[in-house]
Amino acid sequence: MTFTCGCSRRDFLRKGFYGLGVGAGLPVILNRTSAALAAQALGGTSLETNPERILVVVELSGGNDGLNTVVPYGNDTYYQVRPNLGIPEHDVLKVESGYGFHPALVGFERLYKDGQMAVVHGCGYENPSLSHFSSMGYWHSGVPNGGDPLGWVGRLADRAYDHDAQGNMIVNIGTRQSMAVQSRYHPPLVFSDPGRLRRDGTGDELDALAALSPEVTSANQALEFLTSTAQNATESGELVREATSSYHTPVDYGIGGLSGSLRQTAALIAAQLPTRLYYVSYSGNSFDTHVHQADPHARLLAYTADAVHGFIEDMRRIGRADDVAVMMFTEFGRRVEENASLGTDHGTATPMFVLGAGVNGGMYGRHPSLTDLDDGNLKMTTDFRRVYATMINEWLGHADTRSILKGSFEPMGLFA
Amino acid sequence: MSRDRTTVSRLLTWSVGVGVVALAWSTPVVAGQAGDTALADDLSPLTVADWDEHKAAHLLERAGFGGTPDDVAKLAAMTPEAAVSSLVDYHTVADTLSPFDASPIWDPAMDPFPKSRAEAVRRARETGTSMGVEMLPEGESRRLQPVVNKFFYGLRSNAIETQRLALWWGQRMLLSTRPLEEKLTLFWHGHFSTGNTKVRDTRMMLRQNEMLRAHAAGSFRDLLLGILKDPAMLVYLDNRENVKDHPNENFGRELLELFTMGVGNYSEEDIREASRAFTGWTNSALEFHFDATQHDYGPKTFLGQTGLYDGTDIIEIILDQEPTAEYIAGKLYRYFVRQELSETTRAELGATLRNANYELSPLLARIFLSRDFYSAPSVATQIKSPVHLVVSTYRKLGLQEMPTIPDFNRLTASLGQTMFNPPNVAGWAGGRTWITPGSLLQRGNLFRTVMFAETDSFYPPDRVVPGIYASVARRLEQGMNITAATQEGDAESSMLADRDEDYNTRYGGYMGYVMAFEKLKLVPRRTPNLDLVRLVNEAGANDVEAVVDHFIARFLRVPLDQVDRDVLVEFLRDKLGADQLETPDAHSEAALRGLLYLVLSTPEYQLA
């Protein structure tokens, strides 16, 4: 069972997770040329045509108000159901006939006009749940109205990587692990503050812990798994701290939670981490705008678009623009009618966004009707798993979406 | 298996990414103890000659939550049959623990509790009252505010009461003289996954927990019928919406896929037909209710048979299927023994269950007595669940009451397991999915907060308003009106005029906490009652090497190697400044706690 390189698991563990000497300290910023060469060397045997491609999933938790994000300003009904919260037509950042962005989404407008942003209207699933917990769970597992102990990104890693493969196949930047990255075989590296990816204790305790020998080979496979994960934890902690603290970029990501997470993602990509699956989430139910929505929602959107725009711009700066795509989702949109507290309540269908230099920009799918509603909520027009299938198949080049998504979902031609 | 391997190697080419990762597994795994490995898949019973303290400790770790050296010694002194029987036939052991002491949070008008805030408000608009709260008279501002407050009160009080319930259950796990009963109840909780986040009713969660416990090692038939008539499950799976004109397939799908047969043994048509048989199965508050007006009395064709079936008939047909017994036996095996099981073991254990007419205790006894259970692939190869990790640590320490600083639920939740709130209908995936690089570090760090518990920085989750609601509270105290106090952002908000609206959701969310705190019984807060000096004295360990060896033997199921042992010995010697544990003072106690923190932080300690 030897794959792709002649080194044994033992060699591998001794060398460390990034092929670097661990004992030698960690000057971890790797050389792009060597990475590119290694990737090229694999080209001949690879089923995959673009082994450098990276997927960054961005979760807008809390239920983003899709109608005030991609504004259907050409539709009179919109202004009737949103008498106070509706974005006046003259404020809308118009990008297509009848549709435009919320005025805070300057970054999106720019990316859209550059042809680097796809908007997929009306994403959702049959029999939608209005509960944050249930609906987010469905988006995470990719199994609406059902359950799976693993997440869709986790299953993607399980299908795509050798089960014994070492290293961080998935990086999840957030205050807690998303269910989406739950994998059978590939523990995601989860962090929000890289400073927390370390052991606590006094100097004596930490010295002793560091001196405990990594027992890398054992007949006990569970113990091997644990010791290699422990070693990975220590190295990854150092690597992430080193990569993020040493990362300097002139690109402005703006402020707000997402800017820090995406800058950390950029730092790890710039440091040539072999990770290809990144998952970034807002903490808490940030987008849950029941009350006095206008200002906080505008702020959240501005933070989001600034950060994503900065990230895409930064990828261009470091020469990785063609290798990175961002997919954004939220667990549901808001109710069509605004409520009496100048906010909006839990709803259903909502747009998804796919961004990156490789994207065929434009609007996809059909905008849901504002009058043909299901108990006051939009009827979805695109199953969200079609967008997942697009990222898995068209972007990452993994043909077998069916086993990952537990059903057949046609990719949407966002990258074709 | 061979198909998997081909797929894997083909997929690997996809996997290497930027190509820096070098991966391989060229050395074949060499078994440590060939003799023990040879016992794998041998379901014949272990003999007395093979019985020893190690095996007794393994049994107690798996069929319970581990124990003190005394607990292990008692089991080791028995025959294997008697030891297994003492755990499996637990109905002969008295249950001395007190029932859950519920807080008085419910009043009759809260039943049935509205599914959403929108429904709570709709009821009030239509009838003038909702959940026993009247809408304010016309002319008042925020006429529906009391209704919304009451709704959030219901949510908050049940969420926190459920944490109290989980603490009570954790205490049972720690103190029960019938540990397998609690271990099995936890298994069934994951198998028949139900979450209070959706159910929103602690009474129902308690009722379900008691039902699972009552049948935990009894008849799977009773468990299945119990869970399909269980109010919490009926709510969790939306079976109220499973009515004759619009059958809801969720119920049938989960029943077949997760509860009984596993995928591949039935068709989509079977799911639909099974769901029809359960139409009208609903609940009236805490009781099962059969709504004949919503039941589909027509003929159903299920798994090749046709009849005028109702839910109980469907259950009998499911139990007649060989895959059902194998699925349940296999899942129990994976929970108690190891992740992989051979086809023959699976078939044989399935037959054991079926031949016992789905009585579970003969199957459990057979598993725990089998040579396979004590074979090398089965011993110290299981990654502890967060609940097991915390409870077994307290048990091995000999604690006689559950520490509440650090908070029990926070400990397990931060490692990915919240009792009464599994991630979804599929329950916890278990095994390696418990572990990420970060959670592995966290597993160690948390025990530092147990060894050196901080009372100053501790805030009790059952009495502190969290997050955004804390800022609402602060602003109200500063004299802001409700509109301003519930606005996000800073200075400009104080300028806002109070709005005339039906209600303010965020204010309701805040008031929900205030009202809940008035009714919820307070969790007594206490740090772990540790006395490690006494613990090692009682074990007769006085010099540093003996102390380290005692901790290794007491806490670890896998021995540490010599290098690691030496590191620990040196650490303790340095901390004590001596080779002997001489004076039983605070300094010695702190040194021992530091040492134990190291032991509990090892990868080895994650294994049961």
Side-chain angles (χ1 to χ4, degrees):
Chain A
M1 286 189 53
T2 305
F3 303 111
T4 67
C5 93
C7 54
S8 69
R9 174 177 166 80
R10 195 177 307 219
D11 286 342
F12 171 74
L13 286 165
R14 198 167 54 231
K15 282 185 187 168
F17 282 84
Y18 301 93
L20 301 165
V22 193
L26 279 171
V28 290
I29 310 304
L30 306 184
N31 178 322
R32 167 150 170 77
T33 319
S34 64
L37 284 173
Q40 261 180 11
L42 291 164
T45 57
S46 178
L47 283 179
E48 198 200 4
T49 44
N50 302 94
E52 295 202 347
R53 286 190 177 175
I54 290 170
L55 169 63
V56 181
V57 179
V58 174
E59 171 185 309
L60 309 179
S61 50
N64 177 41
D65 183 7
L67 287 177
N68 272 17
T69 303
V70 177
V71 181
Y73 70 87
N75 190 331
D76 290 344
T77 309
Y78 168 72
Y79 292 101
Q80 287 157 22
V81 294
R82 299 283 177 97
N84 296 295
L85 289 180
I87 310 294
E89 183 177 342
H90 58 82
D91 288 343
V92 173
L93 306 175
K94 296 172 186 169
V95 291
E96 298 285 349
S97 165
Y99 298 98
F101 291 116
H102 185 288
L105 294 168
V106 179
F108 278 5
E109 181 194 27
R110 218 172 291 158
L111 288 165
Y112 191 92
K113 288 185 171 168
D114 287 349
Q116 296 191 58
M117 176 169 187
V119 173
V120 184
H121 289 303
C123 296
Y125 53 93
E126 299 288 349
N127 299 316
S129 168
L130 300 192
S131 144
H132 291 294
F133 178 79
S134 301
S135 196
M136 189 57 100
Y138 297 159
W139 285 77
H140 283 166
S141 67
V143 186
N145 289 302
D148 193 276
L150 306 175
W152 76 276
V153 179
R155 292 198 301 270
L156 168 58
D158 287 342
R159 291 296 296 182
Y161 293 99
D162 174 49
H163 294 173
D164 296 331
Q166 304 290 311
N168 299 309
M169 304 312 174
I170 308 170
V171 169
N172 177 186
I173 302 179
T175 47
R176 62 174 56 187
Q177 183 187 332
S178 167
M179 202 252 146
V181 298
Q182 188 73 68
S183 153
R184 176 79 60 200
Y185 302 103
H186 305 293
L189 179 66
V190 187
F191 67 90
S192 160
D193 172 6
R196 293 285 307 139
L197 270 181
R198 52 162 46 119
R199 293 197 180 278
D200 293 340
T202 62
D204 298 344
E205 289 162 5
L206 295 177
D207 288 348
L209 285 169
L212 293 178
S213 65
E215 183 78 31
V216 293
T217 51
S218 167
N220 186 333
Q221 292 185 19
L223 183 57
E224 276 204 344
F225 165 76
L226 287 162
T227 49
S228 64
T229 306
Q231 192 181 347
N232 180 17
T234 308
E235 290 177 20
S236 298
E238 284 182 49
L239 184 127
V240 169
R241 280 194 296 282
E242 168 67 23
T244 52
S245 67
S246 68
Y247 188 63
H248 299 291
T249 172
V251 174
D252 183 7
Y253 282 70
I255 55 172
L258 203 55
S259 67
S261 309
L262 285 178
R263 197 187 284 107
Q264 285 170 336
T265 305
L268 298 183
I269 292 171
Q272 302 284 3
L273 241 77
T275 305
R276 303 182 54 204
L277 302 171
Y278 287 89
Y279 195 97
V280 173
S281 51
Y282 267 91
S283 63
N285 275 350
S286 299
F287 284 84
D288 196 19
T289 51
H290 285 285
V291 180
H292 304 292
Q293 164 179 321
D295 287 353
H297 191 238
R299 236 180 352 253
L300 282 165
L301 292 180
Y303 294 164
T304 304
D306 289 355
V308 172
H309 179 268
F311 176 71
I312 301 273
E313 183 61 21
D314 213 12
M315 290 300 100
R316 194 183 56 76
R317 184 186 69 88
I318 64 170
R320 299 297 302 272
D322 291 338
D323 301 337
V324 177
V326 175
M327 188 203 86
M328 303 176 69
F329 80 100
T330 183
E331 72 267 38
F332 45 59
R334 315 296 294 184
R335 211 171 161 76
V336 174
E337 274 192 69
E338 65 184 41
N339 67 25
S341 306
L342 296 183
T344 49
D345 298 328
H346 300 180
T348 51
T350 179
M352 291 173 75
F353 308 119
V354 178
L355 307 100
V359 175
N360 280 337
M363 298 212 167
Y364 292 80
R366 186 166 52 81
H367 195 282
S369 166
L370 297 188
T371 48
D372 178 22
L373 302 177
D374 183 3
D375 192 23
N377 279 314
L378 299 174
K379 292 180 177 171
M380 70 99 167
T381 53
T382 299
D383 191 301
F384 71 86
R385 287 166 294 182
R386 288 192 62 197
V387 182
Y388 288 2
T390 306
M391 306 316 290
I392 296 168
N393 182 334
E394 291 179 15
W395 177 245
L396 294 173
H398 190 64
D400 182 17
T401 60
R402 198 186 162 81
S403 64
I404 296 164
L405 298 177
K406 308 198 159 203
S408 193
F409 299 96
E410 194 192 342
M412 303 196 63
L414 304 186
F415 295 95
Chain B
M1 187 65 203
S2 63
R3 186 193 60 80
D4 275 350
R5 207 169 280 184
T6 338
T7 319
V8 159
S9 56
R10 271 197 292 121
L11 287 169
L12 184 78
T13 49
W14 187 85
S15 76
V16 178
V18 194
V20 181
V21 176
L23 26 111
W25 197 303
S26 59
T27 24
V29 172
V30 181
Q33 293 157 292
D36 279 352
T37 305
L39 301 177
D41 292 324
D42 180 350
L43 293 175
S44 63
L46 200 74
T47 59
V48 185
D50 293 326
W51 188 241
D52 59 25
E53 291 229 353
H54 285 291
K55 293 191 172 64
H58 171 62
L59 174 64
L60 191 57
E61 184 88 48
R62 295 289 182 87
F65 300 89
T68 62
D70 280 352
D71 298 332
V72 173
K74 276 185 200 133
L75 280 183
M78 303 177 189
T79 63
E81 288 80 8
V84 167
S85 172
S86 74
L87 287 157
V88 173
D89 303 320
Y90 55 73
H91 54 270
T92 60
V93 182
D95 174 5
T96 54
L97 299 175
S98 2
F100 178 61
D101 175 25
S103 303
I105 55 175
W106 281 87
D107 60 64
M110 288 164 72
D111 282 319
F113 197 73
K115 258 190 87 169
S116 63
R117 197 241 318 108
E119 191 195 320
V121 165
R122 195 179 307 138
R123 273 191 214 170
R125 285 212 175 99
E126 283 166 9
T127 66
T129 67
S130 183
M131 301 164 290
V133 175
E134 289 190 20
M135 193 170 167
L136 295 178
E138 249 178 274
E140 298 277 340
S141 70
R142 295 199 179 84
R143 295 182 61 205
L144 286 162
Q145 194 66 51
V147 170
V148 172
N149 293 356
K150 182 78 181 263
F151 175 74
F152 279 105
Y153 159 75
L155 293 195
R156 309 296 190 229
S157 56
N158 277 287
I160 298 170
E161 181 78 345
T162 300
Q163 293 179 26
R164 287 187 68 240
L165 184 66
L167 178 65
W168 168 80
W169 190 8
Q171 189 147 297
R172 288 191 70 90
M173 292 175 184
L174 172 62
L175 300 177
S176 175
T177 46
R178 304 154 59 143
L180 178 59
E181 182 177 42
E182 300 308 320
K183 194 85 182 260
L184 277 165
T185 306
L186 184 59
F187 170 80
W188 294 119
H189 176 37
H191 182 74
F192 296 120
S193 173
T194 308
N196 184 63
T197 312
K198 178 155 182 183
V199 175
R200 299 169 165 183
D201 189 332
T202 311
R203 301 169 307 171
M204 288 186 191
M205 301 308 293
L206 170 61
R207 193 194 137 109
Q208 184 187 84
N209 184 255
E210 287 172 338
M211 188 279 292
L212 296 177
R213 184 174 294 105
H215 302 296
S219 157
F220 179 70
R221 175 180 277 102
D222 293 344
L223 263 176
L224 191 57
L225 191 59
I227 203 72
L228 296 176
K229 291 186 165 183
D230 177 68
M233 181 60 83
L234 290 163
V235 172
Y236 189 64
L237 292 184
D238 298 310
N239 211 50
R240 184 176 293 276
E241 286 156 32
N242 187 18
V243 292
K244 62 181 173 190
D245 293 336
H246 303 281
N248 177 342
E249 290 169 22
N250 269 2
F251 204 73
R253 188 179 304 279
E254 311 316 356
L255 170 63
L256 292 170
E257 178 180 334
L258 300 170
F259 298 168
T260 57
M261 297 182 76
V263 284
N265 296 305
Y266 51 84
S267 67
E268 287 292 310
E269 189 58 25
D270 292 323
I271 289 175
R272 280 190 284 277
E273 295 291 282
S275 297
R276 288 178 57 214
F278 287 95
T279 47
W281 284 44
T282 180
N283 66 300
S284 167
L286 302 183
E287 296 305 322
F288 172 72
H289 172 65
F290 177 69
D291 183 351
T293 64
Q294 295 298 349
H295 183 67
D296 180 344
Y297 285 95
K300 291 117 193 158
T301 300
F302 179 66
L303 294 173
Q305 306 177 43
T306 303
L308 297 171
Y309 300 138
D310 72 0
T312 46
D313 301 320
I314 295 293
I315 290 174
E316 286 309 318
I317 296 173
I318 289 172
L319 293 176
D320 278 344
Q321 312 297 313
E322 283 194 11
T324 304
E326 293 188 10
Y327 176 78
I328 297 302
K331 195 162 172 185
L332 279 162
Y333 181 92
R334 290 204 305 279
Y335 180 75
F336 283 109
V337 190
R338 57 192 151 103
Q339 292 280 319
E340 299 79 28
L341 83 160
S342 66
E343 277 305 312
T344 50
T345 302
R346 190 180 147 98
E348 210 175 320
L349 293 176
T352 304
L353 183 59
R354 213 168 44 254
N355 294 341
N357 195 19
Y358 283 94
E359 284 297 319
L360 291 156
S361 55
L363 170 68
L364 293 164
R366 181 155 197 217
I367 290 175
F368 293 134
L369 259 181
S370 72
R371 290 159 167 256
D372 172 77
F373 179 66
Y374 301 93
S375 68
S378 304
V379 175
T381 51
Q382 190 178 63
I383 292 171
K384 293 170 187 169
S385 72
V387 167
H388 185 99
L389 181 73
V390 175
V391 170
S392 68
T393 303
Y394 292 163
R395 271 210 181 239
K396 287 171 186 180
L397 281 163
L399 297 186
Q400 291 305 308
E401 60 178 10
M402 180 61 115
T404 45
I405 300 177
D407 183 72
F408 174 68
N409 289 301
R410 274 196 199 134
L411 287 180
T412 66
S414 69
L415 299 176
Q417 189 174 30
T418 310
M419 288 198 286
F420 298 111
N421 273 313
N424 61 37
V425 291
W428 292 285
R432 295 185 180 193
T433 68
W434 291 125
I435 301 296
T436 71
S439 79
L440 192 51
L441 296 173
Q442 180 77 346
R443 279 178 171 233
N445 292 346
L446 287 179
F447 283 121
R448 199 161 193 288
T449 71
V450 171
M451 291 300 122
F452 304 99
E454 291 263 2
T455 47
D456 293 352
S457 55
F458 179 82
Y459 71 91
D462 55 337
R463 278 300 183 278
V464 174
V465 180
I468 188 149
Y469 300 104
S471 74
V472 173
R474 205 165 47 243
R475 289 162 189 222
L476 288 171
E477 276 169 26
Q478 289 164 2
M480 287 190 193
N481 63 45
I482 289 176
T483 298
T486 53
Q487 174 90 346
E488 268 183 73
D490 303 313
E492 81 276 21
S493 56
S494 56
M495 316 274 287
L496 288 176
D498 210 11
R499 267 179 62 80
D500 184 25
E501 55 189 355
D502 284 348
Y503 57 88
N504 179 300
T505 308
R506 185 162 294 151
Y507 180 71
Y510 161 70
M511 284 305 294
Y513 280 110
V514 174
M515 293 160 66
F517 292 163
E518 284 171 8
K519 291 280 179 69
L520 286 160
K521 291 184 178 170
L522 191 63
V523 171
R525 294 293 165 182
R526 52 191 176 232
T527 55
N529 185 15
L530 297 179
D531 189 344
L532 299 187
V533 170
R534 205 186 68 193
L535 190 117
V536 296
N537 279 342
E538 283 174 1
N542 289 319
D543 69 88
V544 288
E545 301 210 20
V547 169
V548 167
D549 289 339
H550 177 67
F551 277 2
I552 289 173
R554 185 178 188 121
F555 290 96
L556 299 181
R557 300 287 313 125
V558 193
L560 292 180
D561 67 19
Q562 191 61 37
V563 179
D564 293 346
R565 181 181 170 277
D566 292 347
V567 169
L568 297 178
V569 169
E570 277 315 302
F571 173 85
L572 185 59
R573 188 177 282 128
D574 275 8
K575 281 278 165 192
L576 289 173
D579 283 334
Q580 300 288 322
L581 197 63
E582 280 155 358
T583 42
D585 58 7
H587 177 71
S588 306
E589 179 69 20
L592 291 176
R593 291 190 192 186
L595 174 70
L596 186 52
Y597 163 55
L598 302 184
V599 173
L600 303 185
S601 296
T602 55
E604 285 81 356
Y605 188 61
Q606 312 313 317
L607 291 171

